[in-house]
Amino acid sequence: PPVMFLVTNSTQVPFFFILMGIPGFEVFHTWISIPFCCLYIVSIMGNTTILAVIRTEPSLHEPMYLFLSMLALTDLGLTLTTLPTVMGLLWFGASEISFEACFAQFFFLHGFSFMESSVLLAMSFDRYVAICCPLHYVSILTNRVVSRIGVAIICRCVLAVLPPLFLLKRLPFCGSHHLSHSYCLHQDMIHLVCADTTGNNWYGFVLALVIITLDPLLIVFSYALILRSVLRISSQVERLQAFNNCLSHILAVLVLFVPMVGLSMTHRFAKHAPPIVHVIMANIYLLAPPVMNPIIYSIKTKQIRRGIFHLFRHRQLQ
């Protein structure tokens, strides 16, 4: 018999949620695990390499690369948050996850996702100062200011994720306990609640407005100011160099926000689409930034490429 959630007037005693792999392709989970495993390896190796390069190269202890290290840490956290349930499900068929473990994954998953957006916003401010106020760059973005921005990002994300977590956790779950992904997403878990979710829906709307809408708008605004400043440069070579300095960050922004908007639109306007559509969109949203960001910055940033070369050369000499 299916395990249900025991609900009383004062307490609820949930047992576990059931995670879903790739719907309709359950017999191929072992084969599907191969590309997933490769993507996780690329993400972990790429982001740890970025962190090791920035840590070992004194010339990279600058605001731009300190923000990049924050981005790599965030991507690493996002990868390690989903890896246990995704690979456990694909390799061993471990589809059960306890109530508390699911909410813990919920917290870290959405926390690191919001943190990624916040770090990219901070990086756009770094690019704005570097291009529009180059003479004041060192005095504005000191190590102390960068560390304060980092602390503010953590506080912002924790304060953003905790309210929906507590709002959701106090509600009764009854009937089906089958999730539609191989990890715990808020927009997925909210459908299993058998109570009024108006408060959760309004908070989710405000959060989406602040994070998904405000952050990209501020990034676009910063690049509008950068573009205005760059177009005033008379030398075409210097103009192209300024654009090239921003290219890696622009690509990282697109890699995050395009899948994020796509996933939000799918959940809101394509509720009756085949389950495989929702699963593919969610996996792209969670795996694309951690996999692509190290590749983008390794290819497009000469200092990072040089640092990687020095790092591996030093390891070979040892």
Side-chain angles (χ1 to χ4, degrees):
V3 178
M4 306 291 283
F5 289 93
L6 177 62
V7 182
T8 67
N9 291 332
S10 58
T11 61
Q12 56 180 23
V13 186
F15 292 94
F16 53 79
F17 292 105
I18 303 295
L19 301 170
M20 181 185 289
I22 311 298
F25 295 88
E26 287 81 4
V27 294
F28 301 109
H29 272 181
T30 303
W31 292 104
I32 293 171
S33 70
I34 295 173
F36 272 89
C37 185
C38 292
L39 290 173
Y40 277 120
I41 290 172
V42 169
S43 174
I44 293 170
M45 293 296 294
N47 287 295
T48 51
T49 300
I50 294 287
L51 288 169
V53 167
I54 294 173
R55 181 177 177 273
T56 55
E57 287 286 332
S59 61
L60 299 182
H61 295 173
E62 297 177 0
M64 174 184 173
Y65 301 105
L66 294 177
F67 285 125
L68 179 56
S69 67
M70 292 181 196
L71 186 66
L73 274 172
T74 303
D75 285 334
L76 199 57
L78 196 58
T79 298
L80 296 177
T81 298
T82 60
L83 187 150
T85 53
V86 172
M87 298 313 299
L89 182 60
L90 294 177
W91 277 343
F92 309 112
S95 59
E96 296 180 4
I97 182 170
S98 70
F99 184 80
E100 297 299 334
C102 194
F103 273 92
Q105 189 179 53
F106 164 99
F107 173 77
F108 287 108
L109 187 55
H110 288 284
F112 282 122
S113 177
F114 293 154
M115 198 175 293
E116 181 123 6
S117 173
S118 302
V119 172
L120 289 173
L121 178 58
M123 293 175 82
S124 70
F125 175 68
D126 168 78
R127 292 297 81 206
Y128 164 75
V129 176
I131 293 174
C132 299
C133 312
L135 298 178
H136 303 286
Y137 181 76
V138 177
S139 60
I140 293 174
L141 285 172
T142 62
N143 288 340
R144 188 175 182 180
V145 170
V146 172
S147 62
R148 285 182 176 178
I149 291 174
V151 171
I153 288 171
I154 294 172
C155 292
R156 180 197 193 209
C157 296
V158 170
L159 292 175
V161 175
L162 282 180
L165 188 149
F166 287 123
L167 284 171
L168 185 61
K169 196 172 182 181
R170 68 179 176 81
L171 296 173
F173 291 84
C174 53
S176 172
H177 53 241
H178 287 76
L179 298 172
S180 56
H181 299 289
S182 48
Y183 30 75
C184 300
L185 289 172
H186 177 267
Q187 50 267 57
D188 194 13
M189 297 168 69
I190 196 74
H191 295 307
L192 305 184
V193 172
C194 53
D196 183 26
T197 59
T198 304
N200 299 66
N201 292 333
W202 273 108
Y203 187 87
F205 173 76
V206 172
L207 199 61
L209 198 65
V210 171
I211 302 290
I212 300 178
T213 306
L214 183 61
D215 284 5
L217 284 177
L218 290 174
I219 291 171
V220 169
F221 178 68
S222 69
Y223 272 103
L225 296 176
I226 289 171
L227 182 63
R228 187 183 67 174
S229 178
V230 169
L231 292 177
R232 290 175 179 174
I233 300 173
S234 56
S235 171
Q236 187 175 0
V237 175
E238 291 180 4
R239 198 181 300 171
L240 289 173
Q241 187 179 2
F243 278 126
N244 190 56
N245 287 337
C246 298
L247 184 58
S248 298
H249 180 256
I250 293 171
L251 292 174
V253 169
L254 292 175
V255 165
L256 174 67
F257 285 108
V258 170
M260 182 185 285
V261 171
L263 180 63
S264 299
M265 294 298 103
T266 303
H267 273 283
R268 192 164 295 275
F269 301 112
K271 295 179 181 179
H272 301 293
I276 188 70
V277 174
H278 294 273
V279 170
I280 290 172
M281 289 301 299
N283 284 319
I284 292 173
Y285 160 62
L286 290 174
L287 285 172
V291 171
M292 292 304 300
N293 285 340
I295 296 173
I296 290 169
Y297 278 94
S298 298
I299 293 174
K300 297 300 298 178
T301 309
K302 182 172 64 176
Q303 293 85 345
I304 296 294
R305 284 203 311 271
R306 190 187 303 130
I308 293 172
F309 175 75
H310 289 163
L311 181 67
F312 284 104
R313 186 180 179 185
H314 180 69
R315 291 283 171 87
Q316 287 177 351
L317 291 175
Q318 286 182 336

